[in-house]
C-alpha cells in the first residue's frame, strides 16, 4: 500500500498519512468516516482524522499561502467508502483513494467558473463539480477508481430554449450520467424534465463507451409531468427521482411520469434504429388496476423494466415489460416512511418512524419487520450497503417508567433486520454507519446541546456489545457537509437524496 505522498488542494497541501493502528481492540466497523480537528489558528496546519475500517489515520492540511484559512473546507466520502474528496480554497477539490493512493484534482480550467455544488455520482465512480456563470448547467467530472483520473468537461447538449436550465443525474451502478433540460421551479410549478436529454459514459472500471474520454451514448427529447410532493403529504417523499426523472442502476433507461395519467415515459438510449440514432421516449401504461386521480407515483427504477411506485396506502412494483405489478399495503399508515437506497440502487429499504421495515428489489416487495417501537427520531436512519440492516436513533423513555432521569436524558439505538427489532437504551447517540455484518459506528452527544457536539466514538457490534473506540480529542470541527447542513462527520451515508446526483 503506497501512502505518504503529498497532494495539493488549491492553496494548501495535505501531507503524509499517519497510521495509528486499530481504534480499540477488535471492535470495528467496515466503514470510512472522516472529520476535521477544530482549527487552532489561521495559517496553521489542521488535521483531518480518518476512521478507516477500524484503523485511525491522520493527515495534515497545510496552508501554502500566507493568510490562507483552512476553515473553509469541505470533506466528502465516496459512496463505496474507498476514499475521500477535500474541497478547499478557490473551489478546487482533490480526491484520494485510501487503498491505492490514487489521486486526482479538479480546479480552474477551460470550463470556466466552478460552482459551489460538489457531489459524487451515485455510483461512486466520479466526482462532479457543477459549473456556474456562462457555462451553468455543465459539469466537470473526475473519474475515480479507473485508469484515468483527469477532469472531463461535460457541456449540456444544444437546446432550442433561450436560457435553458439543466439537471445532472447519474446511474447508481454504472459510469453513466444523464443531462436533462428542465422547466418550472419557484412560481412556475414543480421542476420537471422538459426538453433535451442526453446520456454520457465516462471512463471507469466498467466503461460502457469505446474511447478513453467522455462519450455521448444517445440523445432525445423527453417531457414528463411535474408533481409537487407537498401536495401529497401522506405519500413517501423520494429524492431519488428528482425533477420527475428516475435513472435505472445500469444507466440504460430514464423513466418519468407521462402527461397522461397512469402512464410512464421511458427513454432507452441503447434502443437504436437502423440509422444508428437513439429512438424517442415511449409511453408505457401502468396496469389496468391503476385508478385515475389516485395513481401511484414513481419512487425509483430498480431496472429498466421494474419500477417502484407508491400511493397513500400501498407500495407497487411494476414490470413494464410484462404490463403487470404486485402490491403490498404500507406499514405504519399515518407515520412517516423513509426510503434508504442500497445495493447500488437495486434495493430500497422503506422504514417507518416506528421501526417497521419494508423492502423492494428486483425479486419483489416484502415485509422485513412488522414490530414497532416508540421512537422520536434524533437523526434520519441509515442502512448497510447491501440493505440487510437499518439503524435508528431515538430519544425518550419508551416504557414511561424510568422516573429518576429526565426524558431527554434517555435515548435508544434501534437496529432492524430480518432477525427482528433490537433496542439498546442508554445515552444519546447518532448513527454514522452500519456495515453488512450489523456492526454500527456511532457518536455520543448531549441531547440538550443544540449543536450536538460529539463526545466519543463508539462501536455497537453484531452481538450487541458497545465499545468506545475514540475519545474524539481534539474536538471535531463543525463544517458544511455534503447535503449543505452543518455536520461534524463526513461519511458515505451523507449522499444528498440517498446517493449523490
Amino acid at each position: 500500500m503506497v501512502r505518504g505522498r503529498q497532494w495539493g488542494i488549491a492553496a494548501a497541501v495535505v501531507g503524509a498519512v499517519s497510521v495509528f493502528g486499530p481504534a480499540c481492540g477488535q471492535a470495528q466497523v467496515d466503514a470510512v468516516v472522516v472529520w476535521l480537528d477544530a482549527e487552532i489558528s489561521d495559517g496553521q496546519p489542521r488535521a483531518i482524522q480518518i476512521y478507516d475500517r477500524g484503523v485511525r489515520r491522520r493527515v495534515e492540511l497545510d496552508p501554502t499561502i500566507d493568510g490562507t484559512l483552512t476553515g473553509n473546507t469541505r470533506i466528502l466520502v465516496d459512496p463505496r467508502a474507498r476514499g475521500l474528496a477535500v474541497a478547499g480554497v478557490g473551489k478546487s477539490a482533490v480526491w484520494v483513494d485510501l487503498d491505492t493512493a490514487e489521486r486526482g484534482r479538479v480546479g480552474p480550467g477551460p470550463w470556466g467558473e466552478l460552482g459551489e455544488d460538489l457531489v459524487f455520482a451515485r455510483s461512486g465512480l466520479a466526482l462532479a463539480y457543477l459549473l456556474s456563470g456562462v457555462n451553468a448547467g455543465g459539469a466537470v467530472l473526475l473519474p475515480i477508481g479507473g485508469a484515468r483520473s483527469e477532469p472531463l468537461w461535460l457541456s449540456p447538449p444544444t437546446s432550442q430554449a433561450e436560457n435553458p436550465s439543466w439537471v445532472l443525474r447519474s446511474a447508481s451502478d454504472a459510469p453513466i450520467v444523464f443531462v436533462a433540460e428542465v422547466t418550472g421551479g419557484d412560481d412556475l410549478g414543480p421542476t420537471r424534465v422538459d426538453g433535451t436529454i442526453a446520456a454520457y459514459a465516462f471512463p471507469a472500471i466498467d466503461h460502457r463507451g469505446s474511447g478513453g474520454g467522455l462519450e455521448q451514448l444517445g440523445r432525445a427529447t423527453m417531457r414528463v409531468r411535474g408533481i409537487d410532493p407537498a401536495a401529497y403529504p401522506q405519500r413517501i417523499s423520494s429524492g431519488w427521482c428528482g425533477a420527475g426523472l428516475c435513472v435505472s442502476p445500469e444507466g440504460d433507461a430514464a423513466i418519468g411520469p407521462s402527461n397522461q395519467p397512469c402512464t410512464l415515459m421511458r427513454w432507452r438510449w441503447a434502443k437504436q434504429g437502423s440509422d444508428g440514432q437513439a429512438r424517442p421516449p415511449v409511453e408505457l401504461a401502468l396496469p389496468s388496476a391503476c385508478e385515475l386521480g389516485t395513481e401511484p407515483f414513481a419512487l425509483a427504477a430498480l431496472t429498466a423494466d421494474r419500477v417502484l411506485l407508491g400511493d397513500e396506502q400501498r407500495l407497487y412494483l411494476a414490470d413494464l415489460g410484462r404490463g403487470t405489478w404486485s402490491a403490498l399495503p404500507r406499514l405504519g399508515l399515518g407515520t412517516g416512511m423513509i426510503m434508504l437506497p442500497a445495493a447500488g440502487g437495486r434495493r430500497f429499504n422503506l422504514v417507518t418512524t416506528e421501526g417497521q421495515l419494508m423492502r423492494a428489489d428486483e425479486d419483489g416487495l416484502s415485509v422485513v419487520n412488522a414490530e414497532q417501537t416508540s421512537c422520536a427520531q434524533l437523526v434520519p436512519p441509515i442502512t448497510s450497503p447491501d440493505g440487510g440492516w437499518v439503524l435508528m436513533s431515538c430519544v425518550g423513555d419508551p416504557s414511561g417508567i424510568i422516573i429518576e432521569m429526565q426524558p431527554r436524558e434517555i435515548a435508544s439505538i434501534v437496529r432492524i433486520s430480518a432477525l427482528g427489532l433490537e433496542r439498546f437504551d442508554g445515552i444519546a447517540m447518532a448513527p454514522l454507519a452500519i456495515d453488512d455484518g450489523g456492526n454500527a459506528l456511532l457518536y455520543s452527544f448531549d441531547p440538550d446541546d443544540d449543536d450536538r457536539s460529539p463526545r466519543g466514538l463508539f462501536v455497537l457490534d453484531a452481538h450487541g456489545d458497545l465499545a468506545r473506540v475514540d475519545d474524539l480529542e481534539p474536538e471535531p470541527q463543525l463544517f458544511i457537509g455534503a447535503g449543505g447542513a452543518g455536520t461534524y462527520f463526513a461519511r458515505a451515508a451523507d449522499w444528498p437524496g440517498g446517493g449523490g446526483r
Side-chain angles (χ1 to χ4, degrees):
M1 185 179 298
V2 180
R3 298 190 186 274
R5 298 181 180 178
Q6 291 187 333
W7 35 284
I9 163 178
V13 169
V14 175
V17 178
S18 300
V19 181
F20 294 94
C24 179
Q26 299 300 314
Q28 66 181 58
V29 180
D30 187 11
V32 172
V33 171
V34 180
W35 65 96
L36 294 168
D37 281 353
E39 191 172 7
I40 299 174
S41 61
D42 295 341
Q44 296 299 312
R46 188 179 186 193
I48 300 175
Q49 306 287 351
I50 306 168
Y51 176 95
D52 184 1
R53 301 168 179 88
V55 176
R56 280 273 283 101
R57 308 185 187 280
R58 179 177 182 270
V59 297
E60 290 287 342
L61 180 63
D62 296 313
T64 58
I65 298 177
D66 290 341
T68 296
L69 302 180
T70 57
N72 186 21
T73 304
R74 289 185 58 196
I75 302 180
L76 297 84
V77 177
D78 89 273
R80 301 188 182 196
R82 294 175 310 189
L84 63 143
V86 183
V89 185
K91 297 178 183 176
S92 296
V94 65
W95 151 262
V96 174
D97 189 301
L98 292 173
D99 292 327
T100 67
E102 173 196 355
R103 301 181 309 281
R105 180 177 177 273
V106 179
W111 37 78
E113 184 179 354
L114 296 173
E116 298 289 344
D117 206 346
L118 175 67
V119 296
F120 278 103
R122 286 177 173 172
S123 62
L125 296 174
L127 189 66
Y129 239 132
L130 303 189
L131 300 178
S132 59
V134 295
N135 290 317
V140 179
L141 298 179
L142 180 68
I144 57 180
R148 174 172 178 166
S149 291
E150 299 178 4
L152 301 171
W153 184 5
L154 174 59
S155 297
T158 303
S159 170
Q160 296 182 357
E162 185 173 346
N163 293 302
S165 297
W166 303 89
V167 294
L168 180 73
R169 292 288 179 265
S170 59
S172 56
D173 203 25
I176 293 176
V177 295
F178 287 75
V179 176
E181 190 175 354
V182 295
T183 59
D186 298 328
D187 297 331
L188 302 177
T191 302
R192 65 191 184 281
V193 173
D194 185 8
T196 302
I197 183 172
Y200 299 85
F202 57 86
I205 298 173
D206 179 22
H207 182 54
R208 302 305 175 87
S210 58
L214 198 64
E215 179 182 352
Q216 186 178 115
L217 301 172
R219 175 179 169 180
T221 299
M222 187 172 184
R223 291 183 169 85
V224 305
R225 185 175 9 143
I227 297 174
D228 181 9
Y232 302 89
Q234 298 302 314
R235 297 199 175 195
I236 300 170
S237 179
S238 171
W240 199 253
C241 296
L245 189 69
C246 304
V247 175
S248 63
E250 289 284 347
D252 55 348
I255 300 171
S258 166
N259 288 321
Q260 299 297 322
C262 291
T263 305
L264 297 177
M265 297 289 295
R266 181 177 66 184
W267 178 55
R268 306 179 75 175
W269 56 263
K271 295 296 183 179
Q272 298 180 338
S274 58
D275 57 1
Q277 300 299 312
R279 287 319 193 209
V282 297
E283 288 192 351
L284 299 171
L286 292 174
S288 57
C290 178
E291 298 179 3
L292 301 181
T294 60
E295 64 174 310
F297 296 150
L299 301 176
L302 305 182
T303 69
D305 281 322
R306 293 182 177 268
V307 180
L308 175 65
L309 306 102
D311 59 21
E312 285 83 356
Q313 297 185 356
R314 294 177 179 83
L315 293 176
Y316 304 85
L317 186 61
D319 188 324
L320 301 180
R322 297 180 178 180
T324 59
W325 67 9
S326 58
L328 272 183
R330 277 180 50 185
L331 297 179
L333 292 180
T335 65
M337 184 169 254
I338 301 171
M339 286 182 58
L340 303 172
R346 301 176 186 277
R347 179 174 300 124
F348 283 82
N349 281 328
L350 298 104
V351 60
T352 71
T353 54
E354 296 177 339
Q356 298 159 303
L357 179 61
M358 302 181 71
R359 182 169 297 152
D361 56 27
E362 296 181 40
D363 296 328
L365 301 170
S366 60
V367 174
V368 179
N369 173 64
E371 185 181 356
Q372 56 187 322
T373 184
S374 174
C375 181
Q377 290 188 0
L378 289 170
V379 293
I382 59 174
T383 188
S384 60
D386 73 352
W389 302 82
V390 169
L391 195 68
M392 295 168 42
S393 179
C394 312
V395 67
D397 174 21
S399 65
I401 60 175
I402 302 177
I403 60 177
E404 292 84 1
M405 302 176 67
Q406 296 295 320
R408 287 186 58 81
E409 294 177 342
I410 305 169
S412 303
I413 290 296
V414 176
R415 185 168 56 186
I416 313 162
S417 69
L419 301 175
L421 183 150
E422 304 169 277
R423 183 163 185 139
F424 304 90
D425 297 323
I427 61 175
M429 291 194 180
L432 288 171
I434 183 167
D435 64 24
D436 290 333
N439 305 290
L441 188 68
L442 314 102
Y443 71 90
S444 61
F445 65 93
D446 183 347
D448 292 323
D449 179 6
D450 291 338
D451 290 334
R452 294 181 178 174
S453 301
R455 290 181 165 184
L457 198 65
F458 291 81
V459 168
L460 176 68
D461 69 19
H463 303 291
D465 295 325
L466 186 69
R468 187 183 183 114
V469 296
D470 199 278
D471 58 7
L472 295 177
E473 292 292 341
E475 180 183 357
Q477 171 71 35
L478 183 68
F479 65 98
I480 302 300
T487 182
Y488 287 94
F489 298 91
R491 54 184 182 165
D494 278 333
W495 316 340
R501 288 184 179 272

